[in-house]
Amino acid sequence: MFSKSKVRRSLLLGYRSDRGFGFRTSISLEFSDEVIILIYRIKTIVEDFVEKQQVIEQALENIFKGIGLLRHEFKNRSFTIDGRLVGDIGEVIAEGNYGISLYKDQVPVHDGEKGGKLIQIKATFKDHLTFGKVPDYYLGFKLKKDGSWIEIFNG
């Protein structure tokens, strides 16, 4: 399959710093063809990973910038990324478009009230909504990636 002969090749040594992955120096060693092929495969895998990691870092930076904008505009919600982000967006939509008074703190089952009705507000990017306990009143929104939304349940 591959020749067992040793060949002289240059190998780049990589390092990780706070600015990402880079290559610092090269050395000249003797490797078999099989080892050279393996090294280039590993190098390709590492480079692919580094590119994907950069995409993740950029996406998270954009998400947190967006969260910062939401927190600045709607100070009564925290917009945490750990699962409350979408729900908090739904709640400020309900507050601004339906005149619902949101509770300052998280309360089991209900998120706010209007006209004596206790209201649970749900939002999703999926095609369905769920709830664990039956609320007095339920308001549900389907959010779209462009920022628009539609009411999918009101009752």
Side-chain angles (χ1 to χ4, degrees):
M1 183 169 180
F2 297 105
S3 131
K4 298 279 183 186
S5 66
K6 302 269 182 175
V7 292
R8 195 156 195 78
R9 304 286 178 153
S10 187
L11 172 67
L12 293 175
L13 297 178
Y15 69 95
R16 178 113 177 123
S17 73
D18 60 343
R19 289 189 267 173
F21 192 87
F23 293 100
R24 178 171 41 203
T25 188
S26 67
I27 59 173
S28 186
L29 299 171
E30 289 189 14
F31 294 101
S32 68
D33 289 345
E34 292 90 352
V35 171
I36 297 298
I37 290 169
L38 181 61
I39 289 170
Y40 281 110
R41 285 183 180 162
I42 292 170
K43 182 178 179 256
T44 301
I45 291 168
V46 169
E47 289 171 347
D48 185 50
F49 173 78
V50 169
E51 287 177 24
K52 288 180 179 176
Q53 180 62 33
Q54 290 170 342
V55 169
I56 291 169
E57 290 170 6
Q58 184 64 50
L60 286 174
E61 181 180 328
N62 289 333
I63 288 168
F64 283 104
K65 281 181 184 176
I67 289 171
L69 291 171
L70 290 167
R71 285 179 177 166
H72 178 75
E73 188 65 30
F74 304 100
K75 295 182 184 347
N76 61 341
R77 289 291 170 260
S78 59
F79 300 98
T80 59
I81 195 165
D82 63 357
R84 290 185 37 196
L85 178 62
V86 174
D88 285 351
I89 291 170
E91 290 173 9
V92 297
I93 289 171
E95 179 183 46
N97 291 278
Y98 294 78
I100 294 170
S101 297
L102 298 175
Y103 298 136
K104 182 177 181 177
D105 298 317
Q106 293 291 319
V107 176
V109 184
H110 299 98
D111 301 301
E113 57 186 75
K114 181 177 180 181
K117 290 183 184 177
L118 303 177
I119 303 167
Q120 182 177 47
I121 303 158
K122 291 286 188 178
T124 186
F125 283 95
K126 298 178 182 178
D127 292 326
H128 61 278
L129 290 167
T130 61
F131 53 88
K133 295 183 180 179
V134 178
D136 291 346
Y137 200 87
Y138 190 84
L139 185 57
F141 303 107
K142 177 173 173 64
L143 307 179
K144 298 181 181 181
K145 290 180 182 179
D146 66 2
S148 64
W149 54 273
I150 57 173
E151 177 188 286
I152 56 177
F153 193 86
N154 187 340

